């Protein structure tokens, strides 16, 4: 009999006892003043404080420390008394910074407003990137986004101004590229409301993707909790060269560890091969580490990071990092929980997919594998960009291949789009004359896959992207689209050739004149020879005092809705709960709370709850968004049945499989079940981020007795009677600590915080 895990779901949030007004950078308090960004007031960086905490912990543990342990333990709230045991204890940490993308920032700011606190306690920023939809071209799409999302942008800008949060306007670029260019630096602990926040690990940072609930903890100035991570070491030897790129490192690692192999761990890269990878290349590797379930990924400080800091106007931080470099690399003799070794001299270009980012294939073999599995060989679309591969170097290497094709009179056989990562990257590559788009058959600068006219929904087809995630229907809402993830270089090569079974290391193309030729390996400058061109100023600095400002939320809005507190626990057992749905197989946050057209409701809990589990497969009938209403006997959509149960006073649970909630840091996937009357999610295992979101007391026509620290819950199955009238009981593991039990008793963490003010 399987033992399921019942894990704490924050849903709303917890802010502890009265917010402490923290120093601008909590763990780095006063070594030297440096400018953290050309857009931000002066912050303080104190590696001496980091050193002090590390020394305390090293003496207590009496062993060498990994790099990730140094940074994480260096930010402990109480390094003298914190219980530290990898994979077991919960750490109370003081992160330095919070970053939020616009889709998740709506709920985070609504929660912060509900807390009653006057101003954020740590530097925080909002980045407007997720609500911009590509349709016809950059300027047109941006103008449309500003019009369609005006209400949301005004809310975020005004809330940021009132509560001390910096606001990056639409058109600034992708949040993770902005963080790398401005806010990440060696040794910083940053949390962001997006699962690919680990991108900052390419600059020696511990950057962790969380939901809005965790962000508000930090913005409120209370310790943030993280289960003490295990540490997976990836030792790199040799050097990258030719067609092999940094993306191939993480594609290979994903194949080794699978989508859940990194759960509960930080992946720490080390070894002599690190120095052959650019800073933005290291960021690419860390970014896609989210696809293996890792807490985050990180690289040790080296000269590539120093150069990047200097090029992005942070030479003073580079100088401090040099001075304290011993803190920013692993101790000699440190021990990892698992070690993977990769020889970069032997690593070949890879392509992963379809439908999952851990199905790993060498590019040289993908054609044969596709034929064997009846995957479409024709490449319909090639996409370059996303938060994973949109740096100056990525654009340059892609442009070098595009130029070769143009010189031979070729255009892409596949539709093709390129997206620079930030306004700074866009302005710089434009200044430097990169001409990637010209190779596109239709000279498109953007293409919306979900509005595709080249294939019908349900028609099998293949696309290749340099993105990080390729779940079913994610790119275009077509479950028959076979999406593969690979490097920008391979995307360009396959888009030019128009076929999946093209290996640029061995295969020939035919020029417009009939000449056979091979593409030369890509080349591109790591960083611009001149300084970056910042482009347009798209940053709004919050005023020193925003207390007199007002944040309006129209009660009639269908995009924004102020939050109502959840009910407190009544002190009794949870009984007679109905199973709403038993989910079959993989269930990502895309299945639980779809994005796409639902993005516009991210600030309106009731409206977005209409997408709850509409993509999940019901094990009873293999149907999608089709479950039996046990009160009426009729089939209905999942959210419709949930609302009917709630209206009739019947609480319910969801039952799922392994790694439930894999994917984006989408706390709506946890908020929606609670809002519609759900009391528990019962699964074999949770993906890390979703596990911290999901609610803590739900079940299934059963009875869950009171939560006791470090003891499993009992679930009685009343509808599964044996011939003798007896019923079965199951034990459910949970991860609640004392504080989280208090949140459950209060009805939510936010309720608990308010009660303690």
């Amino acid at each position: 009999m399987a033992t399921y895990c019942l894990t704490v779901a924050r849903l709303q949030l917890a802010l502890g006892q009265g917010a402490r007004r923290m120093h601008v950078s909590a763990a780095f308090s006063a070594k030297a003043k440096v400018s953290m960004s050309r857009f931000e007031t002066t912050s303080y960086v104190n590696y001496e404080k980091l050193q002090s905490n590390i020394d305390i912990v090293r003496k207590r543990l009496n062993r060498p420390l990994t790099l990730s342990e140094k940074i994480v333990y260096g930010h402990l709230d109480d390094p003298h008394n914190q219980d530290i045991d990898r994979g077991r204890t919960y750490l109370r940490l003081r992160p330095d910074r919070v970053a939020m993308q616009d889709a998740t920032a709506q709920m985070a700011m609504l929660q912060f407003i509900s807390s009653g606190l006057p101003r954020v306690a740590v530097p925080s920023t909002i980045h407007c990137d997720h609500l911009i939809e590509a349709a016809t071209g950059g300027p047109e799409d941006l103008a449309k986004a500003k019009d369609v999302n005006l209400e949301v942008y005004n809310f975020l800008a005004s809330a940021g101004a009132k509560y001390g949060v910096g606001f990056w306007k639409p058109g600034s670029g992708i949040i993770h590229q902005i963080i790398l260019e401005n806010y990440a630096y060696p040794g910083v602990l940053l949390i962001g409301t997006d699962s690919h926040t680990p991108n900052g690990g390419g600059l020696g940072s511990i950057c962790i993707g969380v939901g809005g609930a965790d962000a508000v903890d930090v913005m409120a100035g209370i310790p943030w909790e993280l289960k003490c991570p295990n540490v997976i070491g990836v030792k790199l030897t040799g050097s990258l060269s030719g067609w092999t790129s940094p993306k191939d490192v993480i594609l290979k690692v994903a194949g080794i560890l699978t989508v859940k192999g990194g759960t509960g761990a930080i992946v720490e890269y080390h070894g002599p091969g690190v120095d052959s990878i650019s800073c933005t290349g290291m960021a690419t590797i860390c970014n896609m580490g989210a696809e293996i379930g890792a807490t985050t990924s990180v690289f040790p400080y080296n000269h590539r990071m120093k150069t990047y800091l200097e090029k992005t106007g942070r030479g003073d931080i580079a100088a401090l990092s040099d001075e304290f470099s011993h803190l920013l690399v692993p101790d000699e003799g440190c021990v990892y929980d698992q070690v993977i070794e990769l020889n970069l001299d032997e690593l070949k270009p890879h392509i992963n997919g379809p439908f999952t980012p851990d199905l790993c294939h060498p590019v040289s073999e993908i054609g044969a594998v596709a034929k064997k599995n009846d995957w479409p060989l024709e490449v319909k679309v090639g996409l370059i960009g996303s938060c994973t591969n949109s740096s100056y170097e990525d654009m340059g290497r892609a442009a070098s291949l595009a130029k070769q094709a143009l010189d031979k009179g070729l255009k892409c056989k596949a539709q093709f789009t390129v997206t620079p990562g930030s306004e700074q990257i866009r302005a710089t590559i434009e200044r430097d004359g990169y001409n990637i788009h010209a190779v596109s058959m239709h000279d498109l600068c953007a293409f919306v896959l979900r509005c595709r006219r080249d294939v019908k929904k349900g028609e099998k087809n293949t696309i290749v992207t340099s993105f990080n995630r390729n779940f079913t229907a994610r790119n275009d809402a077509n479950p028959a689209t076979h999406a593969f993830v690979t490097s920008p270089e391979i995307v360009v090569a396959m888009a030019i050739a128009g076929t999946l079974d093209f290996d640029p290391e061995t295969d020939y193309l035919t020029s417009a004149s009939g000449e056979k030729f091979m593409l030369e390996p890509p080349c591109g400058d790591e960083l611009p020879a001149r300084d970056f061109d910042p482009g347009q100023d798209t940053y709004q600095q919050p005023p020193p005092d925003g207390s007199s400002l007002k944040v309006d939320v129209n009660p009639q809005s269908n995009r924004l809705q102020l939050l109502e507190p959840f009910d407190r626990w009544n002190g009794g057992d949870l009984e007679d709960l109905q199973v709403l749905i038993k989910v079959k197989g993989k269930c990502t946050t895309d299945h639980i709370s779809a994005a796409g057209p639902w993005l516009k409701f991210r600030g309106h809990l009731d409206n977005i709850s209409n997408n709850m589990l509409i993509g999940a497969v019901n094990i009873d009938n293999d149907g999608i968004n089709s479950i039996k209403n046990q009160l009426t006997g009729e089939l209905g959509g999942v959210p419709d049945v949930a609302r009917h149960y709630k209206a009739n006073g019947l609480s319910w649970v969801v039952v799922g499989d392994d790694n439930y909630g894999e994917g984006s840091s989408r706390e709506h996937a946890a908020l929606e079940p609670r809002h519609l009357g759900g009391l528990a999610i019962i699964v074999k295992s949770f993906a890390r981020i979703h596990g911290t979101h999901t609610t803590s007391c739900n079940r299934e026509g059963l009875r869950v007795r009171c939560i006791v620290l470090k003891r499993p819950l009992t679930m009685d199955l009343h509808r599964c009677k044996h011939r003798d009238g007896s019923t079965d009981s199951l034990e459910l593991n949970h991860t609640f600590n004392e504080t989280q039990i208090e949140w459950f008793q209060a009805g939510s963490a936010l309720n608990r915080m308010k009660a303690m003010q």
Side-chain angles (χ1 to χ4, degrees):
M1 184 178 296
T3 299
Y4 292 83
C5 295
L6 182 62
T7 188
V8 66
R10 296 202 174 186
L11 295 186
Q12 282 206 34
L13 229 264
L15 308 172
Q17 242 172 334
R20 269 195 307 139
R21 181 74 179 110
M22 292 178 65
H23 201 275
V24 197
S25 193
F28 299 141
S29 11
K31 165 64 179 173
K33 284 189 177 182
V34 298
S35 174
M36 291 299 300
S37 160
R38 59 193 171 105
F39 303 106
E40 189 179 6
T41 54
T42 301
S43 293
Y44 292 89
V45 179
N46 189 353
Y47 287 105
E48 290 179 346
K49 175 64 175 176
L50 191 67
Q51 176 79 72
S52 174
N53 282 7
I54 291 171
D55 289 345
I56 293 167
V57 172
R58 186 187 282 116
K59 184 176 180 180
R60 287 182 55 205
L61 298 181
N62 193 30
R63 62 172 174 80
L65 301 177
T66 68
L67 168 60
S68 50
E69 287 183 306
K70 287 182 177 182
I71 301 175
V72 171
Y73 303 162
H75 287 79
L76 286 171
D77 183 53
D78 183 4
H80 288 284
N81 300 302
Q82 172 71 61
D83 189 11
I84 301 172
D85 186 1
R86 285 186 195 168
R88 187 184 68 83
T89 60
Y90 279 84
L91 308 178
R92 291 166 64 84
L93 302 170
R94 293 287 183 179
D96 302 304
R97 171 173 286 280
V98 171
M100 299 168 281
Q101 43 99 329
D102 50 357
T104 49
Q106 295 170 65
M107 191 58 65
M109 292 308 297
L110 286 166
Q111 291 177 106
F112 188 83
I113 291 169
S114 298
S115 75
L117 298 172
R119 194 173 178 86
V120 296
V122 300
S124 304
T125 48
I126 295 168
H127 303 257
C128 294
D129 61 351
H130 277 55
L131 297 181
I132 301 173
E133 298 180 359
T136 55
E140 295 85 356
D141 295 335
L142 181 58
K144 180 180 178 181
K146 289 179 177 179
D147 178 50
V148 171
N149 301 307
L150 180 62
E151 176 186 13
V152 172
Y153 291 148
N154 285 345
F155 164 70
L156 293 175
S158 61
K162 182 173 180 63
Y163 295 104
V165 179
F167 180 71
W168 289 83
K169 303 171 187 176
S172 302
I174 301 171
I175 177 174
H176 310 302
Q177 186 68 32
I178 299 293
I179 290 172
L180 200 71
E181 293 172 354
N182 297 278
Y183 301 124
Y185 62 90
V188 74
L189 176 59
L190 178 151
I191 69 166
T193 61
D194 189 277
S195 54
H196 295 105
T197 301
N199 190 80
L203 203 44
S205 310
I206 292 292
C207 298
I208 301 176
V210 300
D214 297 85
V216 179
D217 283 355
V218 179
M219 291 191 293
I222 67 169
W224 172 63
E225 291 188 335
L226 175 72
K227 192 171 188 179
C228 188
N230 290 316
V231 188
I232 298 173
V234 179
K235 183 178 181 180
L236 302 178
T237 58
S239 299
L240 290 178
S241 62
W243 283 92
T244 307
S245 75
K247 187 67 164 282
D248 297 308
V249 175
I250 186 57
L251 294 175
K252 181 69 173 179
V253 170
I256 294 169
L257 288 176
T258 77
V259 291
K260 60 181 181 179
T263 303
I266 293 177
V267 179
E268 184 173 311
Y269 294 85
H270 62 284
V274 167
D275 286 342
S276 73
I277 305 173
S278 67
C279 179
T280 51
M282 290 186 262
T284 289
I285 294 168
C286 293
N287 177 295
M288 196 174 159
E291 309 319 315
I292 57 174
T295 301
T296 192
S297 303
V298 68
F299 277 83
Y301 178 67
N302 67 0
H303 70 281
R304 311 296 282 263
M305 296 183 191
K306 178 180 180 179
T307 302
Y308 186 82
L309 286 168
E310 291 171 341
K311 273 289 184 181
T312 52
R314 294 172 288 172
D316 39 13
I317 295 179
L320 277 175
S321 298
D322 279 347
E323 183 180 348
F324 290 92
S325 60
H326 59 286
L327 302 180
L328 308 173
V329 295
D331 287 343
E332 186 174 349
C334 67
V335 177
Y336 298 99
D337 296 286
Q338 178 183 352
V339 176
I340 297 169
E341 294 196 22
L342 289 183
N343 184 340
L344 301 183
D345 290 335
E346 300 173 355
L347 184 65
K348 289 293 185 179
H350 277 67
I351 183 168
N352 288 19
F355 307 125
T356 182
D358 60 348
L359 187 55
C360 180
H361 322 275
V363 169
S364 60
E365 299 175 12
I366 187 61
V369 175
K371 291 172 186 175
K372 179 180 178 181
N373 289 281
D374 194 29
W375 298 337
L377 286 177
E378 181 188 3
V379 174
K380 290 282 190 180
V381 181
L383 303 171
I384 292 178
S386 86
C387 60
T388 321
N389 281 109
S390 52
S391 68
Y392 185 86
E393 181 182 37
D394 290 328
M395 299 294 108
R397 286 170 67 88
S400 74
L401 297 173
K403 184 177 186 304
Q404 292 181 53
L406 288 169
D407 289 347
K408 296 292 185 178
L410 296 183
K411 289 186 175 182
C412 284
K413 292 183 179 178
Q415 299 185 71
F416 183 53
T417 178
V418 180
T419 308
S422 68
E423 167 62 10
Q424 179 165 277
I425 297 297
R426 183 210 61 77
T428 305
I429 65 172
E430 183 176 283
R431 179 199 68 192
D432 292 350
Y434 286 12
N435 188 21
I436 311 173
H437 296 308
V439 76
S440 170
M441 179 167 27
H442 301 294
D443 293 322
L444 298 176
C445 73
F447 181 71
V448 193
L449 285 187
R450 73 165 180 274
C451 298
R452 294 174 68 178
R453 295 188 179 92
D454 60 320
V455 295
K456 296 178 180 179
K457 190 168 184 177
E459 180 182 341
K460 289 172 62 174
N461 71 103
T462 287
I463 67 173
V464 292
T465 82
S466 69
F467 298 0
N468 42 40
R469 198 163 277 168
N470 60 341
F471 302 146
T472 301
R474 180 177 178 86
N475 295 98
D476 61 0
N478 181 1
T481 293
H482 292 53
F484 295 84
V485 291
T486 186
S487 67
E489 298 89 328
I490 298 300
V491 171
V492 175
M494 287 185 171
I496 293 170
T499 181
L500 198 61
D501 61 349
F502 177 75
D503 180 1
E505 290 192 305
T506 59
D507 294 342
Y508 287 83
L509 294 169
T510 302
S511 71
S513 63
E515 171 195 1
K516 296 284 187 181
F517 75 100
M518 290 182 68
L519 291 169
E520 294 293 328
C523 60
D525 292 335
E526 177 179 347
L527 294 164
R530 292 180 282 171
D531 289 341
F532 279 105
D533 183 338
Q536 299 180 28
D537 185 358
T538 55
Y539 180 73
Q540 172 187 291
Q541 178 77 20
D545 181 4
S547 57
S548 63
L549 301 178
K550 185 178 180 181
V551 179
D552 289 323
V553 176
N554 186 342
Q556 306 305 316
S557 172
N558 71 348
R559 306 251 344 232
L560 297 166
Q561 179 187 50
L562 294 174
L563 296 174
E564 295 291 333
F566 289 126
D567 293 338
R568 292 178 54 86
W569 175 50
N570 64 12
D573 290 340
L574 304 177
E575 297 182 305
D576 299 323
L577 303 182
Q578 176 63 49
V579 176
L580 178 70
I581 181 175
K582 186 175 182 182
V583 177
K584 181 179 179 180
K586 183 189 281 276
C587 189
T588 72
T589 49
D590 282 351
H591 296 94
I592 306 167
S593 177
W598 296 94
L599 277 174
K600 61 179 173 287
F601 298 128
R602 285 289 184 87
H604 198 293
L605 181 55
D606 192 57
N607 282 347
I608 199 171
S609 293
N610 289 321
N611 76 0
M612 186 191 73
L613 287 161
I614 62 174
V617 178
N618 179 8
I619 200 169
D620 288 339
N621 59 11
D622 285 333
I624 296 176
N625 200 28
S626 176
I627 61 174
K628 184 177 180 179
N629 185 324
Q630 299 298 329
L631 296 180
T632 66
E634 299 175 350
L635 291 178
V638 182
D640 299 323
V641 175
R643 288 185 186 276
H644 187 256
Y645 287 169
K646 182 179 180 181
N648 285 274
L650 179 61
S651 298
W652 49 265
V653 302
V654 170
V655 178
D657 210 319
D658 273 316
N659 207 36
Y660 182 89
E662 170 192 349
S664 300
S665 60
R666 199 169 294 164
E667 69 190 280
H668 300 79
L671 284 162
E672 292 171 26
R674 181 73 182 274
H675 177 66
L676 295 186
L679 292 186
I681 309 296
I682 304 169
V683 297
K684 292 180 180 178
S685 65
F686 282 95
R688 179 188 66 83
I689 297 177
H690 191 66
T692 65
H693 291 166
T694 332
T695 333
S696 66
C697 206
N698 316 8
R699 9 122 255 186
E700 144 191 358
L702 52 84
R703 178 181 184 189
V704 175
R705 302 190 179 99
C706 297
I707 297 176
V708 179
L709 188 66
K710 298 181 181 179
R711 285 176 52 188
L713 302 173
T714 299
M715 178 175 74
D716 298 329
L717 302 172
H718 295 303
R719 296 187 183 178
C720 301
K721 290 185 178 180
H722 299 287
R723 289 180 180 178
D724 62 0
S726 64
T727 59
D728 286 327
S729 295
L730 297 177
E731 285 192 343
L732 304 179
N733 295 326
H734 73 83
T735 61
F736 292 85
N737 57 32
E738 292 181 16
T739 300
Q740 292 163 345
I741 291 175
E742 291 176 352
W743 297 345
F744 162 70
Q745 293 169 340
S748 73
L750 182 58
N751 289 356
R752 175 64 177 163
M753 183 279 296
K754 282 187 171 181
M756 297 181 68
Q757 283 189 354

